[in-house]
Amino acid sequence: MSPSARSTHLTVLISGSGTNLQALIDACGTPALPSTHIIRVISNRKNAYGLERAAKANLPSTYHNLLKYKKDFPDPVENGTFNEARSEYDKELAKIVLQDRPDVVVCAGWMHILAPTFLEPLAKAGVPVINLHPALPGQFNGAHAIERAHEAFESGKIDHTGIMVHYVISEVDMGQPILTRKIYMVKGEALEDLEQRVHENEWEVIVQGTKMAIDALYEGAKR
Ligand SMILES: Nc1nc2c(c(=O)[nH]1)N[C@@H](CN(C=O)c1ccc(C(=O)N[C@@H](CCC(=O)O)C(=O)O)cc1)CN2
Ligand SMILES: NCC(=O)N[C@@H]1O[C@H](COP(=O)([O-])[O-])[C@@H](O)[C@H]1O
């Protein structure tokens, strides 16, 4: 399908301020993300400012509440690393996402480790899940990556950090990278200043990385 003919639908998962969601909102319909539309924003936190951003952009949004599941499934039945509450929560999340039939799911500051009960239905439906992570492949997986990079630089263990957009698999931040960008580090730079530089780069990387994932999706469809 030619790029001009197609329309691509994104579902974006958030947990916080939503500055990366905003970058996607601003890019949709421009040459950076042509014929691309965000069809739903989902947050796991009720007070996420990203939900305000979605409302201002007239985008459908959903707050998917984990606490309800913790009450409904109080006795954690361990299922590998996910108890029953998390498994059920993620199963329902997959239903919410798939009912819209998105082409790609983008984790943009989604601070929740996704269980197989989410990933497996998405994979079965052929819907790739991608994630923006403020570190390079294999460097600082998980939460608080920028802070950990800053500490490692200050102790002389690394000389740069970076950002990546990667496919999401069960192992956190270990999925195939789609796009990476190195971020130089400066001796004595405050954590807050490094964070700001990383964020400013993230807003470009998430758009470019999402475009690359979309293009890869259509390339794969041609085969
Ligand atoms: N199965 C996967 N889930 C997610 C991935 C992934 O690659 N595989 N990427 C993450 C995003 N992420 C880092 O990029 C990340 C987010 C959150 C956590 C984490 O420890 N979450 C805790 C809760 C933390 C909190 O609420 O502050 C948790 O889920 O228990 C690690 C990595 C998206 N998910
Ligand atoms: N492990 C995932 C992770 O750390 N994601 C990070 O959360 C922030 C979300 O900001 P935002 O809500 O303003 O887009 C971003 O810095 C993003 O890299």
Side-chain angles (χ1 to χ4, degrees):
M1 182 180 297
S2 70
S4 58
R6 75 191 184 206
S7 174
T8 304
H9 291 169
L10 305 179
T11 293
V12 183
L13 308 185
I14 64 166
S15 298
S17 171
T19 61
N20 287 284
L21 166 66
Q22 192 63 58
L24 291 170
I25 291 171
D26 296 344
C28 284
T30 74
L33 280 177
S35 305
T36 302
H37 308 274
I38 296 169
I39 58 173
R40 185 173 299 278
V41 175
I42 299 174
S43 175
N44 66 333
R45 294 178 185 165
K46 191 173 186 177
N47 61 352
Y49 186 69
L51 290 173
E52 296 288 325
R53 296 178 192 272
K56 287 176 182 170
N58 297 313
L59 299 177
S61 65
T62 301
Y63 161 51
H64 189 40
N65 177 8
L66 178 59
L67 293 179
K68 173 183 174 303
Y69 290 77
K70 288 182 174 179
K71 287 174 186 165
D72 292 350
F73 303 94
D75 304 323
V77 175
E78 288 310 312
N79 168 23
T81 58
F82 297 95
N83 64 22
E84 195 172 3
R86 291 284 294 249
S87 293
E88 288 299 316
Y89 175 89
D90 281 48
K91 187 190 296 183
E92 182 61 22
L93 178 64
K95 289 178 183 173
I96 294 168
V97 167
L98 291 175
Q99 73 188 10
D100 291 325
R101 299 168 63 85
D103 297 294
V104 181
V105 174
V106 186
C107 296
W110 172 255
M111 300 307 288
H112 173 91
I113 298 175
L114 291 162
T117 49
F118 175 83
L119 296 171
E120 288 168 3
L122 271 285
K124 188 174 180 182
V127 179
V129 183
I130 67 175
N131 176 58
L132 170 74
H133 183 57
L136 292 174
Q139 242 197 355
F140 299 104
N141 295 348
H144 313 298
I146 303 173
E147 183 178 348
R148 290 151 61 198
H150 187 261
E151 288 170 2
F153 175 71
E154 291 298 308
S155 56
K157 293 175 183 170
I158 60 173
D159 61 8
H160 66 275
T161 185
I163 304 163
M164 66 172 167
V165 173
H166 64 93
Y167 288 105
V168 172
I169 62 174
S170 195
E171 296 77 14
V172 174
D173 298 329
M174 291 299 287
Q176 178 192 343
I178 299 167
L179 175 64
T180 62
R181 181 181 289 187
K182 280 186 181 179
I183 301 289
Y184 66 88
M185 299 178 86
V186 179
K187 197 72 179 166
E189 180 180 36
L191 172 59
E192 295 70 26
D193 295 332
L194 172 63
E195 285 174 335
Q196 184 58 28
R197 286 198 295 121
V198 170
H199 292 330
E200 289 168 359
N201 280 274
E202 284 181 314
W203 301 330
E204 295 176 355
V205 170
I206 193 168
V207 172
Q208 293 169 15
T210 298
K211 176 68 164 58
M212 291 170 72
I214 293 169
D215 291 345
L217 188 64
Y218 287 112
E219 280 305 310
K222 285 179 186 174
R223 293 194 191 102

